[in-house]
Amino acid sequence: MGLREVKLERPHGPLPRPVSDFLQAARIRTDRFQYLHRDQPIHAFVACDYQQVFFALQYLKHSGQLPGRQFCEWGSGFGVVAGMAAMHDFLACGIEVEPLLVAESRSLLQEFKLDVEIAEGSFIADHITPPRLQQEGLTWVDLNSDAGYRQLDLEPIDFDLCFVYPWPGEDLFVRELFDRMAAPGALLLAYLGADEIACWQKVSS
């Protein structure tokens, strides 16, 4: 793969009040959603450590490594990371395949007047042959739905920074996918669970 790992600084400190208010509202909405859908839960819909991601976005914004401000959250769920990216003045959007989550994310983002567009569909571009999944049983990885990029009037090569929270066993898959779709210079930020966050930059086509 033509990716290099990017070292992330790990700043600490309190979140700005608008961000903490946004995350509290997202937490309440997520808890309510999961309770209402407890009999038919959406597989792999799990919140990441948003505080860590907020500071990672902040670091990358000021690091001088990003070629631009176009941001996309892959598998955007409630659109929380896309919302935080907008708070950092990225041109933010998200792509989510589950219609119920698309509706919830649009409602949350509208409540906080965040200029984020959420597209319904797959984050795998239509013209891309996806990598082979490295682990059997990852049935929630949607390889068949139409891509959401057309709704955004954007292509994968237009994004300067993407974020993803891969399920265990998906991390190599999303890195290979990013390598196939992204433009040289673009970055992929990933929350890997258990207090682990990583970033890679595409360095060759």
Side-chain angles (χ1 to χ4, degrees):
M1 285 188 292
L3 303 182
R4 71 170 183 88
E5 189 165 3
V6 174
K7 183 178 175 59
L8 292 172
E9 293 186 7
R10 303 290 290 272
H12 296 281
L15 291 170
R17 180 61 181 272
V19 179
S20 61
D21 288 348
F22 175 61
L23 294 183
Q24 176 65 11
R27 193 172 300 114
I28 291 170
R29 284 171 173 257
T30 300
D31 289 346
R32 181 179 62 200
F33 179 88
Q34 291 180 325
Y35 177 77
L36 291 173
H37 297 273
R38 62 193 181 278
D39 294 330
Q40 292 182 305
I42 294 176
H43 293 300
F45 174 47
V46 179
C48 67
D49 185 333
Y50 293 125
Q51 182 162 333
Q52 275 199 70
V53 176
F54 175 84
F55 286 120
L57 291 171
Q58 179 175 282
Y59 169 73
L60 291 173
K61 175 185 176 181
H62 298 291
S63 70
Q65 299 178 80
L66 286 167
R69 295 190 299 129
Q70 198 77 55
F71 173 92
C72 186
E73 182 179 5
W74 286 0
S76 50
F78 267 51
V80 177
V81 175
M84 292 193 301
M87 292 176 170
H88 278 306
D89 297 320
F90 285 96
L91 304 172
C93 64
I95 299 176
E96 171 57 53
V97 76
E98 293 286 349
L100 291 174
L101 296 180
V102 171
E104 290 286 345
S105 61
R106 288 172 177 170
S107 176
L108 172 65
L109 295 162
Q110 184 177 30
E111 177 187 343
F112 282 83
K113 297 180 173 57
L114 293 169
D115 186 13
V116 178
E117 186 174 359
I118 303 295
E120 182 180 326
S122 170
F123 57 76
I124 302 171
D126 292 330
H127 65 281
I128 292 292
T129 301
R132 184 176 66 87
L133 287 166
Q134 302 299 310
Q135 181 176 323
E136 295 298 327
L138 295 179
T139 56
W140 53 82
V141 179
D142 192 318
L143 301 177
N144 301 311
S145 294
D146 292 338
Y149 297 101
R150 189 172 302 173
Q151 297 175 37
L152 301 169
D153 198 25
L154 292 166
E155 297 292 339
I157 60 171
D158 294 324
F159 293 105
D160 306 295
L161 175 62
C162 294
F163 171 81
V164 67
Y165 179 8
W167 203 250
E170 291 181 2
D171 50 335
L172 181 58
F173 173 84
V174 295
R175 276 186 285 156
E176 290 182 350
L177 181 66
F178 182 78
D179 190 34
R180 294 183 187 189
M181 298 199 307
L187 280 80
L188 175 67
L189 179 66
Y191 179 75
L192 302 177
D195 198 40
E196 186 179 359
I197 193 165
C199 185
W200 299 271
Q201 186 169 39
K202 183 168 179 178
V203 294
S204 62
S205 56

PDB file of all heavy atoms in Angstrom, residues 73-98:
ATOM      1  N   GLU A  73     -16.905  11.526   6.752  1.00  0.00           N
ATOM      2  CA  GLU A  73     -16.992  10.460   7.748  1.00  0.00           C
ATOM      3  C   GLU A  73     -17.589   9.234   7.082  1.00  0.00           C
ATOM      4  O   GLU A  73     -18.731   9.256   6.629  1.00  0.00           O
ATOM      5  CB  GLU A  73     -17.855  10.899   8.939  1.00  0.00           C
ATOM      6  CG  GLU A  73     -17.942   9.836  10.019  1.00  0.00           C
ATOM      7  CD  GLU A  73     -18.764  10.257  11.225  1.00  0.00           C
ATOM      8  OE1 GLU A  73     -19.363  11.355  11.195  1.00  0.00           O
ATOM      9  OE2 GLU A  73     -18.814   9.484  12.192  1.00  0.00           O
ATOM     10  N   TRP A  74     -16.833   8.150   7.021  1.00  0.00           N
ATOM     11  CA  TRP A  74     -17.296   6.901   6.434  1.00  0.00           C
ATOM     12  C   TRP A  74     -18.107   6.122   7.468  1.00  0.00           C
ATOM     13  O   TRP A  74     -17.622   5.877   8.573  1.00  0.00           O
ATOM     14  CB  TRP A  74     -16.109   6.048   6.018  1.00  0.00           C
ATOM     15  CG  TRP A  74     -15.377   6.489   4.791  1.00  0.00           C
ATOM     16  CD1 TRP A  74     -15.656   7.565   3.999  1.00  0.00           C
ATOM     17  CD2 TRP A  74     -14.229   5.853   4.214  1.00  0.00           C
ATOM     18  NE1 TRP A  74     -14.771   7.633   2.962  1.00  0.00           N
ATOM     19  CE2 TRP A  74     -13.878   6.592   3.068  1.00  0.00           C
ATOM     20  CE3 TRP A  74     -13.482   4.747   4.552  1.00  0.00           C
ATOM     21  CZ2 TRP A  74     -12.799   6.244   2.268  1.00  0.00           C
ATOM     22  CZ3 TRP A  74     -12.400   4.390   3.752  1.00  0.00           C
ATOM     23  CH2 TRP A  74     -12.061   5.140   2.615  1.00  0.00           C
ATOM     24  N   GLY A  75     -19.314   5.722   7.100  1.00  0.00           N
ATOM     25  CA  GLY A  75     -20.157   5.025   8.057  1.00  0.00           C
ATOM     26  C   GLY A  75     -20.506   5.958   9.195  1.00  0.00           C
ATOM     27  O   GLY A  75     -20.178   5.718  10.356  1.00  0.00           O
ATOM     28  N   SER A  76     -21.193   7.053   8.864  1.00  0.00           N
ATOM     29  CA  SER A  76     -21.263   8.208   9.770  1.00  0.00           C
ATOM     30  C   SER A  76     -22.227   8.070  10.939  1.00  0.00           C
ATOM     31  O   SER A  76     -22.224   8.919  11.824  1.00  0.00           O
ATOM     32  CB  SER A  76     -21.584   9.477   8.969  1.00  0.00           C
ATOM     33  OG  SER A  76     -22.691   9.294   8.121  1.00  0.00           O
ATOM     34  N   GLY A  77     -23.049   7.019  10.973  1.00  0.00           N
ATOM     35  CA  GLY A  77     -23.902   6.822  12.143  1.00  0.00           C
ATOM     36  C   GLY A  77     -24.766   8.033  12.441  1.00  0.00           C
ATOM     37  O   GLY A  77     -25.565   8.465  11.616  1.00  0.00           O
ATOM     38  N   PHE A  78     -24.580   8.614  13.620  1.00  0.00           N
ATOM     39  CA  PHE A  78     -25.303   9.821  14.014  1.00  0.00           C
ATOM     40  C   PHE A  78     -24.623  11.103  13.527  1.00  0.00           C
ATOM     41  O   PHE A  78     -25.037  12.205  13.877  1.00  0.00           O
ATOM     42  CB  PHE A  78     -25.464   9.860  15.534  1.00  0.00           C
ATOM     43  CG  PHE A  78     -26.757   9.258  16.023  1.00  0.00           C
ATOM     44  CD1 PHE A  78     -27.160   7.991  15.624  1.00  0.00           C
ATOM     45  CD2 PHE A  78     -27.591   9.961  16.879  1.00  0.00           C
ATOM     46  CE1 PHE A  78     -28.346   7.441  16.055  1.00  0.00           C
ATOM     47  CE2 PHE A  78     -28.788   9.417  17.321  1.00  0.00           C
ATOM     48  CZ  PHE A  78     -29.165   8.151  16.915  1.00  0.00           C
ATOM     49  N   GLY A  79     -23.557  10.972  12.746  1.00  0.00           N
ATOM     50  CA  GLY A  79     -22.892  12.143  12.174  1.00  0.00           C
ATOM     51  C   GLY A  79     -22.099  12.966  13.168  1.00  0.00           C
ATOM     52  O   GLY A  79     -21.788  14.134  12.908  1.00  0.00           O
ATOM     53  N   VAL A  80     -21.719  12.361  14.289  1.00  0.00           N
ATOM     54  CA  VAL A  80     -21.072  13.129  15.353  1.00  0.00           C
ATOM     55  C   VAL A  80     -19.686  13.612  14.939  1.00  0.00           C
ATOM     56  O   VAL A  80     -19.334  14.773  15.155  1.00  0.00           O
ATOM     57  CB  VAL A  80     -21.003  12.294  16.644  1.00  0.00           C
ATOM     58  CG1 VAL A  80     -20.266  13.065  17.736  1.00  0.00           C
ATOM     59  CG2 VAL A  80     -22.411  11.924  17.119  1.00  0.00           C
ATOM     60  N   VAL A  81     -18.889  12.741  14.345  1.00  0.00           N
ATOM     61  CA  VAL A  81     -17.544  13.153  13.952  1.00  0.00           C
ATOM     62  C   VAL A  81     -17.605  14.178  12.819  1.00  0.00           C
ATOM     63  O   VAL A  81     -16.851  15.156  12.813  1.00  0.00           O
ATOM     64  CB  VAL A  81     -16.692  11.934  13.562  1.00  0.00           C
ATOM     65  CG1 VAL A  81     -15.327  12.382  13.029  1.00  0.00           C
ATOM     66  CG2 VAL A  81     -16.509  11.010  14.763  1.00  0.00           C
ATOM     67  N   ALA A  82     -18.527  13.992  11.896  1.00  0.00           N
ATOM     68  CA  ALA A  82     -18.706  15.001  10.844  1.00  0.00           C
ATOM     69  C   ALA A  82     -19.102  16.338  11.454  1.00  0.00           C
ATOM     70  O   ALA A  82     -18.641  17.395  11.014  1.00  0.00           O
ATOM     71  CB  ALA A  82     -19.764  14.539   9.843  1.00  0.00           C
ATOM     72  N   GLY A  83     -19.955  16.294  12.487  1.00  0.00           N
ATOM     73  CA  GLY A  83     -20.339  17.533  13.169  1.00  0.00           C
ATOM     74  C   GLY A  83     -19.151  18.197  13.837  1.00  0.00           C
ATOM     75  O   GLY A  83     -18.992  19.422  13.764  1.00  0.00           O
ATOM     76  N   MET A  84     -18.301  17.410  14.490  1.00  0.00           N
ATOM     77  CA  MET A  84     -17.115  17.988  15.122  1.00  0.00           C
ATOM     78  C   MET A  84     -16.155  18.535  14.074  1.00  0.00           C
ATOM     79  O   MET A  84     -15.501  19.560  14.303  1.00  0.00           O
ATOM     80  CB  MET A  84     -16.421  16.944  15.990  1.00  0.00           C
ATOM     81  CG  MET A  84     -17.220  16.529  17.212  1.00  0.00           C
ATOM     82  SD  MET A  84     -16.244  15.586  18.430  1.00  0.00           S
ATOM     83  CE  MET A  84     -15.714  14.175  17.440  1.00  0.00           C
ATOM     84  N   ALA A  85     -16.062  17.860  12.932  1.00  0.00           N
ATOM     85  CA  ALA A  85     -15.213  18.379  11.858  1.00  0.00           C
ATOM     86  C   ALA A  85     -15.716  19.748  11.389  1.00  0.00           C
ATOM     87  O   ALA A  85     -14.931  20.661  11.139  1.00  0.00           O
ATOM     88  CB  ALA A  85     -15.175  17.390  10.694  1.00  0.00           C
ATOM     89  N   ALA A  86     -17.032  19.889  11.281  1.00  0.00           N
ATOM     90  CA  ALA A  86     -17.601  21.185  10.907  1.00  0.00           C
ATOM     91  C   ALA A  86     -17.263  22.250  11.951  1.00  0.00           C
ATOM     92  O   ALA A  86     -17.008  23.410  11.603  1.00  0.00           O
ATOM     93  CB  ALA A  86     -19.112  21.062  10.734  1.00  0.00           C
ATOM     94  N   MET A  87     -17.259  21.862  13.215  1.00  0.00           N
ATOM     95  CA  MET A  87     -16.877  22.801  14.282  1.00  0.00           C
ATOM     96  C   MET A  87     -15.418  23.225  14.160  1.00  0.00           C
ATOM     97  O   MET A  87     -15.039  24.283  14.664  1.00  0.00           O
ATOM     98  CB  MET A  87     -17.130  22.167  15.651  1.00  0.00           C
ATOM     99  CG  MET A  87     -18.594  21.970  15.976  1.00  0.00           C
ATOM    100  SD  MET A  87     -18.812  21.114  17.568  1.00  0.00           S
ATOM    101  CE  MET A  87     -20.594  21.305  17.796  1.00  0.00           C
ATOM    102  N   HIS A  88     -14.615  22.403  13.512  1.00  0.00           N
ATOM    103  CA  HIS A  88     -13.212  22.746  13.243  1.00  0.00           C
ATOM    104  C   HIS A  88     -13.053  23.435  11.888  1.00  0.00           C
ATOM    105  O   HIS A  88     -11.929  23.564  11.382  1.00  0.00           O
ATOM    106  CB  HIS A  88     -12.353  21.482  13.266  1.00  0.00           C
ATOM    107  CG  HIS A  88     -11.939  21.035  14.636  1.00  0.00           C
ATOM    108  ND1 HIS A  88     -11.295  21.852  15.536  1.00  0.00           N
ATOM    109  CD2 HIS A  88     -12.082  19.824  15.269  1.00  0.00           C
ATOM    110  CE1 HIS A  88     -11.028  21.182  16.637  1.00  0.00           C
ATOM    111  NE2 HIS A  88     -11.513  19.952  16.515  1.00  0.00           N
ATOM    112  N   ASP A  89     -14.163  23.825  11.286  1.00  0.00           N
ATOM    113  CA  ASP A  89     -14.164  24.561  10.013  1.00  0.00           C
ATOM    114  C   ASP A  89     -13.760  23.713   8.813  1.00  0.00           C
ATOM    115  O   ASP A  89     -13.326  24.249   7.783  1.00  0.00           O
ATOM    116  CB  ASP A  89     -13.269  25.811  10.084  1.00  0.00           C
ATOM    117  CG  ASP A  89     -13.769  26.813  11.109  1.00  0.00           C
ATOM    118  OD1 ASP A  89     -14.998  26.996  11.200  1.00  0.00           O
ATOM    119  OD2 ASP A  89     -12.936  27.403  11.825  1.00  0.00           O
ATOM    120  N   PHE A  90     -13.913  22.382   8.930  1.00  0.00           N
ATOM    121  CA  PHE A  90     -13.797  21.559   7.737  1.00  0.00           C
ATOM    122  C   PHE A  90     -15.083  21.655   6.917  1.00  0.00           C
ATOM    123  O   PHE A  90     -16.161  21.935   7.461  1.00  0.00           O
ATOM    124  CB  PHE A  90     -13.565  20.084   8.123  1.00  0.00           C
ATOM    125  CG  PHE A  90     -12.182  19.786   8.617  1.00  0.00           C
ATOM    126  CD1 PHE A  90     -11.902  19.764   9.972  1.00  0.00           C
ATOM    127  CD2 PHE A  90     -11.151  19.523   7.724  1.00  0.00           C
ATOM    128  CE1 PHE A  90     -10.634  19.478  10.441  1.00  0.00           C
ATOM    129  CE2 PHE A  90      -9.876  19.236   8.174  1.00  0.00           C
ATOM    130  CZ  PHE A  90      -9.609  19.212   9.544  1.00  0.00           C
ATOM    131  N   LEU A  91     -14.979  21.397   5.636  1.00  0.00           N
ATOM    132  CA  LEU A  91     -16.144  21.262   4.770  1.00  0.00           C
ATOM    133  C   LEU A  91     -16.607  19.817   4.904  1.00  0.00           C
ATOM    134  O   LEU A  91     -16.118  18.927   4.208  1.00  0.00           O
ATOM    135  CB  LEU A  91     -15.774  21.609   3.329  1.00  0.00           C
ATOM    136  CG  LEU A  91     -15.165  23.001   3.127  1.00  0.00           C
ATOM    137  CD1 LEU A  91     -14.664  23.158   1.690  1.00  0.00           C
ATOM    138  CD2 LEU A  91     -16.180  24.079   3.469  1.00  0.00           C
ATOM    139  N   ALA A  92     -17.505  19.581   5.831  1.00  0.00           N
ATOM    140  CA  ALA A  92     -17.749  18.228   6.326  1.00  0.00           C
ATOM    141  C   ALA A  92     -18.999  17.597   5.732  1.00  0.00           C
ATOM    142  O   ALA A  92     -20.020  18.258   5.516  1.00  0.00           O
ATOM    143  CB  ALA A  92     -17.855  18.237   7.853  1.00  0.00           C
ATOM    144  N   CYS A  93     -18.905  16.282   5.533  1.00  0.00           N
ATOM    145  CA  CYS A  93     -20.050  15.482   5.125  1.00  0.00           C
ATOM    146  C   CYS A  93     -19.863  14.083   5.687  1.00  0.00           C
ATOM    147  O   CYS A  93     -18.811  13.742   6.242  1.00  0.00           O
ATOM    148  CB  CYS A  93     -20.208  15.464   3.608  1.00  0.00           C
ATOM    149  SG  CYS A  93     -18.827  14.685   2.746  1.00  0.00           S
ATOM    150  N   GLY A  94     -20.900  13.267   5.532  1.00  0.00           N
ATOM    151  CA  GLY A  94     -20.830  11.885   5.979  1.00  0.00           C
ATOM    152  C   GLY A  94     -21.573  10.983   5.011  1.00  0.00           C
ATOM    153  O   GLY A  94     -22.446  11.445   4.268  1.00  0.00           O
ATOM    154  N   ILE A  95     -21.227   9.713   5.032  1.00  0.00           N
ATOM    155  CA  ILE A  95     -21.907   8.711   4.221  1.00  0.00           C
ATOM    156  C   ILE A  95     -22.313   7.561   5.128  1.00  0.00           C
ATOM    157  O   ILE A  95     -21.473   7.014   5.855  1.00  0.00           O
ATOM    158  CB  ILE A  95     -21.009   8.198   3.076  1.00  0.00           C
ATOM    159  CG1 ILE A  95     -20.621   9.346   2.140  1.00  0.00           C
ATOM    160  CG2 ILE A  95     -21.707   7.093   2.300  1.00  0.00           C
ATOM    161  CD1 ILE A  95     -19.662   8.938   1.037  1.00  0.00           C
ATOM    162  N   GLU A  96     -23.605   7.217   5.101  1.00  0.00           N
ATOM    163  CA  GLU A  96     -24.156   6.182   5.979  1.00  0.00           C
ATOM    164  C   GLU A  96     -25.158   5.345   5.202  1.00  0.00           C
ATOM    165  O   GLU A  96     -26.017   5.887   4.508  1.00  0.00           O
ATOM    166  CB  GLU A  96     -24.826   6.823   7.199  1.00  0.00           C
ATOM    167  CG  GLU A  96     -25.609   5.894   8.089  1.00  0.00           C
ATOM    168  CD  GLU A  96     -24.765   4.747   8.615  1.00  0.00           C
ATOM    169  OE1 GLU A  96     -23.691   5.005   9.197  1.00  0.00           O
ATOM    170  OE2 GLU A  96     -25.181   3.579   8.420  1.00  0.00           O
ATOM    171  N   VAL A  97     -25.053   4.027   5.329  1.00  0.00           N
ATOM    172  CA  VAL A  97     -25.892   3.125   4.539  1.00  0.00           C
ATOM    173  C   VAL A  97     -27.238   2.832   5.191  1.00  0.00           C
ATOM    174  O   VAL A  97     -28.182   2.442   4.509  1.00  0.00           O
ATOM    175  CB  VAL A  97     -25.117   1.810   4.262  1.00  0.00           C
ATOM    176  CG1 VAL A  97     -25.076   0.922   5.498  1.00  0.00           C
ATOM    177  CG2 VAL A  97     -25.689   1.076   3.060  1.00  0.00           C
ATOM    178  N   GLU A  98     -27.353   3.038   6.517  1.00  0.00           N
ATOM    179  CA  GLU A  98     -28.591   2.721   7.228  1.00  0.00           C
ATOM    180  C   GLU A  98     -29.539   3.929   7.211  1.00  0.00           C
ATOM    181  O   GLU A  98     -29.218   4.966   7.794  1.00  0.00           O
ATOM    182  CB  GLU A  98     -28.299   2.326   8.674  1.00  0.00           C
ATOM    183  CG  GLU A  98     -27.550   1.008   8.827  1.00  0.00           C
ATOM    184  CD  GLU A  98     -28.442  -0.191   8.556  1.00  0.00           C
ATOM    185  OE1 GLU A  98     -29.674  -0.011   8.456  1.00  0.00           O
ATOM    186  OE2 GLU A  98     -27.907  -1.306   8.461  1.00  0.00           O
TER     187      GLU A  98
END
